[in-house]
């Protein structure tokens, strides 16, 4: 039976060493899955349910403990550990943890592109701008795992549309973008996967070509995760709210994007879940340095 799309969170893999025999291969794995996902697994003999292994999470979802060693249909990736300073910056950018109000932080989710980004540039976009943006695409496509970007020649082939408003009678293609000078509109599904984006630049209000390019780059970086721009970052960073024409994709910017697209973390979670997973993994590591933690991702 084809399993529904979900991921299993491996809180730990406990390495067992038998006293009466030298068996280094013995290992036990367990995971917690939502009840809806568990129902999709009932006809599979690869899993068994722990009779006391369930609890109710903060969203009142029933999470059931399952165990087994043969997860052949999923991709298993080791948990990616980061220090506290990095995680604080990541939470600020993804969940607005530093400057957001309580309600905004609670409702924020880790959003990302799962499918390849296919960019179509409208004819209103200057050719020089297109060339410079393609350099950004090439860098990100090369450096960031599981993030794929390419340009296409027809709008109906795209899931990412970029256009300029160059004159008073020009077509403003996307009325959902409320910004007069620039803006973007993202669409995502219930799994927090972004599947469509439109970016607008109004060159009648942003006259400087370098500023137009910087603004377009800023919107593109933002659209990779519906990221929150921060007031306390260095002006060079694309995650900084500082208006600065010579922004570059800094090493810290790239590290955040790489981490966001790493399969060594969960996808689509809220901040509370994100923190709980890290605390659980780090506590288990402190208790036993041999403990290993994995995420199983299903397409």
């Amino acid at each position: 039976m084809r399993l529904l799309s979900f991921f299993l969170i491996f809180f730990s893999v406990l390495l067992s060493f038998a006293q009466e025999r030298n068996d280094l291969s013995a290992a036990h794995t367990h995971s917690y899955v939502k009840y809806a996902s568990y129902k999709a697994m009932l006809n599979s003999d690869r899993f068994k349910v722990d009779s006391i292994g369930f609890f109710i999470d903060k969203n009142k979802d029933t999470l059931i403990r399952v165990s087994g060693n043969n997860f052949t249909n999923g991709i298993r990736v080791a948990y990616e550990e980061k220090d506290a300073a990095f995680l604080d910056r990541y939470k600020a950018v993804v969940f607005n943890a530093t400057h957001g109000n309580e309600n905004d932080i609670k409702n924020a989710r880790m959003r990302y592109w799962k499918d390849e980004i296919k960019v179509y540039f409208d004819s209103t976009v200057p050719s020089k701008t297109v060339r410079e943006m393609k350099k950004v695409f090439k860098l990100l496509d090369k450096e960031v795992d599981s993030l794929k970007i390419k340009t296409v020649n027809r709008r109906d082939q795209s899931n990412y549309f970029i256009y300029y408003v160059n004159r008073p009678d020009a077509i403003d293609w996307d009325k959902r973008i409320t910004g007069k000078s620039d803006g973007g509109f993202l669409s995502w599904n219930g799994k927090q996967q972004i599947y469509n984006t439109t970016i607008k630049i109004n060159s009648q209000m942003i006259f400087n070509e370098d500023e137009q390019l910087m603004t377009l780059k800023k919107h593109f970086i933002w659209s990779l995760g519906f990221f929150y721009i921060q007031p306390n970052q260095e002006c060079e960073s694309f995650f900084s709210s500082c208006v600065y024409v010579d922004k570059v994709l800094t090493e810290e910017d790239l590290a955040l994007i790489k981490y966001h697209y790493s399969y060594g973390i969960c996808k689509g979670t809220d901040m509370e879940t994100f923190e709980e997973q890290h605390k659980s993994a780090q506590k288990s590591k402190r208790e036993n340095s041999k403990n290993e933690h994995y995420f199983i991702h299903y397409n």
Side-chain angles (χ1 to χ4, degrees):
M1 181 182 72
R2 185 176 181 272
L3 298 184
L4 299 175
S5 176
F6 64 92
F7 55 78
L8 303 178
I9 307 166
F10 271 65
F11 291 107
S12 62
V13 177
L14 305 179
L15 302 182
S16 305
F17 297 88
Q19 294 180 354
E20 64 273 12
R21 58 189 174 88
N22 184 21
D23 183 4
L24 299 181
S25 64
H28 173 66
T29 63
H30 64 269
S31 332
Y32 288 92
V33 300
K34 289 186 178 181
Y35 182 68
S37 297
Y38 165 67
K39 287 201 299 183
M41 300 161 62
L42 285 177
N43 291 340
S44 172
D45 58 4
R46 296 186 298 111
F47 301 92
K48 62 182 180 181
V49 179
D50 188 324
S51 60
I52 60 171
F54 69 91
F55 66 93
I56 309 298
D57 73 0
K58 64 183 181 62
N59 295 319
K60 297 185 179 180
D61 287 323
T62 300
L63 301 185
I64 298 177
R65 174 171 164 168
V66 295
S67 60
N69 293 319
N70 182 21
F71 298 91
T72 55
N73 288 342
I75 301 171
R76 188 176 80 157
V77 182
Y79 162 69
E80 186 170 346
E81 193 170 5
K82 294 289 184 180
D83 61 39
F86 182 91
L87 292 177
D88 285 343
R89 185 164 186 240
Y90 180 76
K91 287 185 290 184
V93 167
V94 173
F95 304 110
N96 205 18
T98 306
H99 301 284
N101 60 48
E102 184 177 350
N103 193 54
D104 288 342
I105 295 171
K106 182 180 179 181
N107 292 324
R109 295 293 185 273
M110 185 192 299
R111 299 186 173 103
Y112 67 104
W113 285 85
K114 184 177 185 298
D115 295 331
E116 183 177 35
I117 301 175
K118 301 172 184 177
V119 182
Y120 175 73
F121 289 99
D122 188 63
S123 59
T124 53
V125 183
S127 56
K128 179 182 176 182
T129 300
V130 173
R131 288 195 300 270
E132 291 301 316
M133 289 302 297
K134 284 183 176 180
K135 292 178 184 177
V136 177
F137 301 163
K138 185 177 180 180
L139 173 66
L140 290 168
D141 187 79
K142 177 184 176 183
E143 294 290 335
V144 182
D145 290 342
S146 76
L147 178 62
K148 299 302 176 187
I149 310 167
K150 72 176 183 180
T151 56
V152 293
N153 296 321
R154 298 203 328 248
R155 187 177 175 183
D156 62 359
Q157 296 174 329
S158 72
N159 54 17
Y160 202 114
F161 179 50
I162 298 174
Y163 72 99
Y164 272 42
V165 177
N166 293 329
R167 58 182 192 273
D169 61 343
I171 298 175
D172 193 346
W173 289 104
D174 199 327
K175 299 298 184 182
R176 298 172 300 178
I177 301 175
T178 56
K180 297 297 183 183
S181 63
D182 61 279
F185 192 91
L186 276 64
S187 301
W188 56 79
N189 60 26
K191 300 173 188 175
Q192 311 305 320
Q193 296 165 347
I194 304 167
Y195 61 85
N196 193 271
T197 295
T198 304
I199 300 296
K200 174 182 80 173
I201 301 293
N202 188 341
S203 61
Q204 301 172 101
M205 302 189 72
I206 305 176
F207 302 107
N208 184 282
E209 289 186 3
D210 290 336
E211 188 177 347
Q212 293 169 11
L213 178 60
M214 181 276 295
T215 304
L216 181 53
K217 287 180 179 179
K218 181 184 70 176
H219 281 304
F220 186 80
I221 299 300
W222 161 77
S223 73
L224 297 179
F226 197 72
F227 296 125
Y228 291 89
I229 307 304
Q230 302 297 304
N232 58 344
Q233 299 293 329
E234 293 183 1
C235 277
E236 284 188 340
S237 169
F238 276 106
F239 293 114
S240 170
S241 59
C242 172
V243 178
Y244 184 63
V245 215
D246 297 323
K247 286 183 181 292
V248 294
L249 198 61
T250 66
E251 288 186 12
E252 288 185 339
D253 290 350
L254 193 55
L256 284 172
I257 299 170
K258 284 182 175 181
Y259 184 69
H260 190 72
Y261 279 88
S262 163
Y263 276 101
I265 58 174
C266 276
K267 302 290 188 183
T269 66
D270 59 12
M271 190 173 79
E272 185 176 348
T273 303
F274 178 82
E275 290 180 327
E276 287 172 354
Q277 290 160 0
H278 281 275
K279 286 178 182 176
S280 175
Q282 290 163 0
K283 179 182 177 182
S284 184
K285 277 285 189 184
R286 287 194 300 271
E287 292 173 350
N288 186 346
S289 61
K290 293 179 180 178
N291 285 353
E292 297 292 341
H293 310 268
Y294 296 94
F295 292 100
I296 303 294
H297 299 273
Y298 288 83
N299 294 323

